[in-house]
Amino acid sequence: MNQLDFEDVKKKGLRVPKFKTVPAHIAIVMDGNGRWANQRGLSRIEGHKAGEAALLDVVAGAIEAGVKNLTVYAFSTENWKRSTEEVLGLMSIFARYIEREADRLAAESVRMRFIGDRSRLDARLQRLMAGIEERTAQYSRLNLTVAINYGGRDELTRAIRAITVDVAEGRLDPSAVTEALVSQRLDTGDLPDPDLVIRTSGETRTSNFLPWQAAYAEFEFTQTLWPDFTPDELALILKRFGNRD
Ligand code: FPP
């Protein structure tokens, strides 16, 4: 567990070099948009828009660094408790991101996918999500996975339910229920487990994000609020990751 002082990064003026060892899969809890907005007297939605801009940069930085898998936590199963205005604002940010970024992601050979229970999302957003997944399915330079209406316990519960149905209907023998099978049945199915989880904004909780998958991951907690997180800071974290055993 590490705390990072972003002032150090700025002073060093780091870019995102190609490191010898990069994590196979980075997962990020993008926290702190609300506080970032508050500090500036802006609405929470303005904070999320600034968070979207940070995500664009970090995706570019991850590609530059040669990271193959990046998963970001955009909306948790608990986030429905926020005001209707904030929930709708976030949903329209997600829709607009897909519409605006589709060409660029395809041009950069990025495969975009979503995890979480999408059945509760509105039909238009679900169509956009399915559309970009299909459009970018052939790419593999970076697997960008966005967690929307995602909760790790919910994901495990859905997987267990599906497995028990297969057992009850005779398609699966209980002895075939192994750790590997459970991993396959999660929303992250074919992705490697994250080896690095980053959480911004100084909170040191994992908040139901990839609890099964991150069992052996390194964790990095930074004080930086998500809208201020940059590829330079990612580079510093990657450097430290590369120096670990
Ligand atoms: C947590 O900060 C952040 C969120 C709930 C939303 C994350 C969404 C984005 C970064 C927008 C862009 C995403 C995509 C996929 C286009 P918070 O609101 O809990 O912050 P706080 O703890 O300071 O209140």
Side-chain angles (χ1 to χ4, degrees):
M1 312 250 172
N2 285 288
Q3 291 284 344
L4 196 69
D5 179 358
F6 183 51
E7 287 312 307
D8 285 347
V9 188
K10 280 199 287 198
K11 270 183 240 144
K12 287 178 191 150
L14 290 171
R15 305 184 65 80
V16 188
K18 287 252 185 284
F19 294 104
K20 253 191 258 152
T21 316
V22 284
H25 185 173
I26 302 178
I28 307 183
V29 181
M30 308 183 288
D31 197 11
N33 296 348
R35 272 162 285 169
W36 183 94
N38 245 342
Q39 288 169 2
R40 289 161 180 77
L42 300 170
S43 68
R44 295 184 61 83
I45 291 301
E46 291 303 324
H48 295 313
K49 284 184 185 158
E52 180 187 0
L55 178 61
L56 292 175
D57 284 351
V58 166
V59 168
I63 293 173
E64 239 176 90
V67 172
K68 287 278 165 211
N69 300 281
L70 175 68
T71 299
V72 294
Y73 207 177
F75 194 92
S76 76
T77 46
E78 281 76 43
N79 285 152
W80 297 107
K81 294 184 194 130
R82 297 190 177 199
S83 72
T84 309
E85 189 191 358
E86 184 171 355
V87 169
L88 292 179
L90 276 166
M91 295 299 157
S92 69
I93 287 174
F94 303 149
R96 205 187 43 193
Y97 180 92
I98 297 170
E99 287 173 324
R100 280 197 194 153
E101 289 304 302
D103 287 346
R104 190 174 7 181
L105 293 172
E108 297 277 356
S109 301
V110 173
R111 180 174 189 182
M112 187 176 193
R113 282 183 286 184
F114 299 89
I115 56 171
D117 179 1
R118 56 185 86 182
S119 64
R120 195 172 163 185
L121 307 177
D122 82 39
R124 179 170 172 271
L125 180 56
Q126 286 190 44
R127 274 197 303 277
L128 285 168
M129 289 160 69
I132 194 154
E133 284 180 333
E134 200 186 317
R135 176 162 176 207
T136 62
Q138 77 263 38
Y139 302 125
S140 59
R141 187 171 174 209
L142 171 72
N143 283 310
L144 171 63
T145 304
V146 179
I148 299 182
N149 193 23
Y150 175 87
R153 288 185 172 190
D154 176 66
E155 176 192 42
L156 269 166
T157 306
R158 286 186 281 109
I160 290 165
R161 201 177 296 135
I163 290 169
T164 52
V165 168
D166 281 354
V167 169
E169 293 179 359
R171 281 187 298 272
L172 189 64
D173 191 86
S175 65
V177 182
T178 58
E179 286 191 15
L181 180 107
V182 174
S183 292
Q184 271 166 33
R185 294 297 190 100
L186 297 176
D187 296 351
T188 44
D190 60 351
L191 294 173
D193 284 342
D195 34 11
L196 174 66
V197 180
I198 300 171
R199 182 169 186 153
T200 58
S201 94
E203 303 294 342
T204 50
R205 288 165 283 140
T206 56
S207 296
N208 207 11
F209 188 44
L210 306 174
W212 172 280
Q213 301 90 328
Y216 297 102
E218 298 278 351
F219 282 78
E220 285 277 356
F221 298 105
T222 164
Q223 296 296 327
T224 307
L225 301 176
W226 174 251
D228 290 328
F229 190 83
T230 60
D232 291 344
E233 187 165 1
L234 177 66
L236 190 76
I237 291 172
L238 291 180
K239 185 161 181 259
R240 197 156 52 212
F241 182 89
N243 290 335
R244 284 188 189 129
D245 272 338

